[in-house]
Amino acid sequence: MKRKLIAAIGIAGMMVSIAACGDSDDNSKGSGSADVKALTVWLTVDAQNNWPELVKAADAAIVKKHPGIKIKHEYYGWPDKNTKLDAVLATDKVPDVVEMGNTEMLSYMVKGAFAPVDAAKFDNSSAWLDGLKASVTYDGKTYGVPYYAGGRVGNWRKDLFASVGVKAAPKTYAELTSALDKVQKEEGDKFSAWYQPTRDWYAAMSYVYDAGGSIATEDGGQWKANLSSPESVKGLTEFKNVIDKYMHGDKTKDESDRYIVYGQGKSGMIFGAAWEGATAADPKNDKTGKLKDNLENFVMPGPSGKNMPVFLGGSDLAVPVKSKAQGVAAEWINAFTGTTGQKGLIAKGNLPNNKTDLAPLKSDPATEVPATAAESSWFVPMAPGWGQVEKAQVLQTMLQSIGTGKKSVEDAAKEADAAIDKVINTK
């Protein structure tokens, strides 16, 4: 997953069970154990390229507490990391700390790959952002520490909307659709007033949750798909309305190259990760030469009258259960993602992992929009078989059927529910 500015995903790791702490006789895993001579930390290239000084600061804190300890770092690209991780988890040579995208956590927690931790021993854990807290929680236990967050926002071309008399970003959904209607009428049906890829399930599910629906619900430890409920169908229907009225591009595409399409100048607005607008305006992507000073982020209003709930992306740091330095690994994670670390991450343009540090950002014009948007969020069902749902692209298939008109909203939702129910409770 591409990370940039506030769209990045935060990561953090966990403390081990009491049996693995310094109070036990197993000093090989104990917190602060003198027997721990080395620590191996796996991070993605985001940390290596964008905030290496924060990594060094965490290292320094641990070396000060454990003189002589050697800390080794390995950096991976997102497509490569899990393949390597899966291979080493089958051996005894595992890293002690590993960065995970927040949607990647679940399948590893279900399989018992990570050690449980005591959340109370990590800075600001009582105020972790809801979407990130959910990503490290399974079956009542905590298996990771949120690192940093990235939400989704609206972004539009101020010059284009000003040309039809719209001078300010929308505060309500009615204002948004009214502005889009004006641009669409002015530009014609070969132009997308809102470029909204049909298979973008992050955006579609925001409509579902805004309408009071959900992907799935839990009852007594069992999960059941919920996309065909009246509330979910209402949200999906409004998403289809957006596709029908404003999206005049390829209705079989996902969001992976949205910033590139936006930079081509054939659309007036997107709803995506907070970094996408700025990336579209990069001279490498801006084919219009006009985007740099004309793009504006705004908090996406929802049809419900409230801010649109957004998928909260991020990263977590986890400690593999086979690590022989679990206690010290947890100390490193807290040094990296704690109060001081969060200040450094914020200075780099990221959103913090907790509401306490998030609050002041809402009064800063530079961070007001993403910080406000992140307050209302949703996350995927923390069900044992959710990874199989994602792998099968059930939601994307449903949305493409809806967007292309191949199936009605109701029929596509029922079909998706049936597919989800077959696997969602399977470990």
Side-chain angles (χ1 to χ4, degrees):
M1 180 179 208
K2 185 170 182 177
R3 312 281 177 95
K4 194 168 182 179
L5 301 175
I6 5 192
I9 297 183
I11 310 171
M14 323 274 144
M15 293 285 298
V16 299
S17 61
I18 293 177
C21 291
D23 294 334
S24 80
D25 293 331
D26 183 3
N27 287 333
S28 68
K29 295 185 178 182
S31 176
S33 168
D35 291 337
V36 176
K37 302 300 184 183
L39 198 70
T40 299
V41 178
W42 283 18
L43 299 173
T44 67
V45 292
D46 300 315
Q48 182 182 33
N49 295 336
N50 300 320
W51 43 87
E53 69 276 18
L54 302 183
V55 177
K56 291 179 181 178
D59 289 352
I62 297 306
V63 171
K64 182 178 181 180
K65 188 173 182 179
H66 304 282
I69 193 171
K70 302 297 183 183
I71 304 177
K72 177 184 178 183
H73 294 279
E74 295 185 25
Y75 295 94
Y76 292 91
W78 286 101
D80 308 321
K81 173 180 64 68
N82 287 5
T83 300
K84 176 69 172 178
L85 180 61
D86 291 345
V88 301
L89 286 179
T91 74
D92 291 326
K93 297 182 179 180
V94 300
D96 302 298
V97 177
V98 61
E99 176 178 356
M100 304 292 295
N102 61 351
T103 63
E104 297 174 340
M105 282 290 295
L106 182 56
S107 62
Y108 289 86
M109 293 191 293
V110 170
K111 295 173 183 176
F114 299 144
V117 301
D118 182 358
K121 295 185 178 181
F122 295 88
D123 293 356
N124 295 309
S125 60
S126 62
W128 282 344
L129 297 177
D130 295 341
L132 295 185
K133 181 178 180 180
S135 75
V136 298
T137 305
Y138 179 70
D139 200 22
K141 295 181 180 180
T142 304
Y143 290 92
V145 175
Y147 176 9
Y148 62 103
R152 281 163 169 72
V153 299
N155 180 285
W156 71 3
R157 289 180 54 180
K158 293 185 295 183
D159 58 335
L160 190 64
F161 284 87
S163 72
V164 294
V166 179
K167 302 297 178 63
K171 300 296 185 183
T172 68
Y173 196 69
E175 291 178 359
L176 174 63
T177 55
S178 174
L180 289 167
D181 289 342
K182 292 175 181 177
V183 166
Q184 194 63 68
K185 181 179 180 180
E186 179 69 19
E187 298 294 329
D189 60 10
K190 291 185 178 180
F191 185 87
S192 294
W194 175 351
Y195 181 73
Q196 178 51 65
T198 307
R199 292 171 64 88
D200 177 10
W201 63 278
Y202 298 109
M205 294 305 106
S206 287
Y207 274 93
V208 166
Y209 282 90
D210 182 72
S214 60
I215 299 172
T217 57
E218 184 203 11
D219 184 15
Q222 288 293 300
W223 288 84
K224 184 170 180 55
N226 192 49
L227 292 169
S228 59
S229 70
E231 296 84 0
S232 296
V233 166
K234 180 181 179 181
L236 289 170
T237 300
E238 183 56 33
F239 183 73
K240 176 176 170 53
N241 290 340
V242 168
I243 300 296
D244 289 346
K245 291 181 68 175
Y246 309 122
M247 169 60 178
H248 299 287
D250 184 348
K251 289 185 170 61
T252 67
K253 292 193 66 173
D254 64 18
E255 71 281 8
S256 60
D257 66 346
R258 173 170 44 211
Y259 67 96
I260 294 175
V261 176
Y262 195 31
Q264 293 171 348
K266 297 180 181 180
S267 54
M269 171 192 153
I270 59 172
F271 172 39
W275 55 264
E276 291 187 54
T279 305
D282 187 294
K284 298 192 302 289
N285 301 315
D286 180 10
K287 305 306 180 184
T288 72
K290 303 177 181 178
L291 299 185
K292 182 177 179 180
D293 298 318
N294 281 309
L295 294 186
E296 177 182 23
N297 281 339
F298 58 90
V299 178
M300 188 71 176
S304 68
K306 300 178 181 179
N307 290 343
M308 185 80 86
V310 298
F311 174 77
L312 198 61
S315 289
D316 305 312
L317 290 175
V319 178
V321 73
K322 289 185 177 181
S323 166
K324 293 180 173 60
Q326 293 177 10
V328 180
E331 292 175 6
W332 189 91
I333 288 169
N334 196 41
F336 189 48
T337 65
T339 300
T340 300
Q342 291 300 313
K343 290 180 180 178
L345 289 166
I346 291 169
K348 292 292 184 177
N350 300 296
L351 290 181
N353 66 1
N354 68 89
K355 297 174 184 177
T356 302
D357 289 328
L358 185 71
L361 302 185
K362 294 192 295 180
S363 59
D364 183 342
T367 54
E368 176 185 5
V369 169
T372 301
E375 286 189 308
S376 178
S377 63
W378 61 271
F379 197 63
V380 300
M382 296 302 286
W386 176 251
Q388 296 182 59
V389 176
E390 282 205 38
K391 185 176 182 180
Q393 299 193 351
V394 175
L395 298 182
Q396 293 95 320
T397 300
M398 173 190 70
L399 293 172
Q400 183 169 323
S401 293
I402 291 172
T404 59
K406 182 179 179 180
K407 290 185 174 70
S408 68
V409 171
E410 292 80 4
D411 288 347
K414 288 178 182 177
E415 186 175 281
D417 275 354
I420 291 172
D421 283 337
K422 287 180 180 179
V423 298
I424 196 168
N425 292 296
T426 305
K427 290 187 178 180

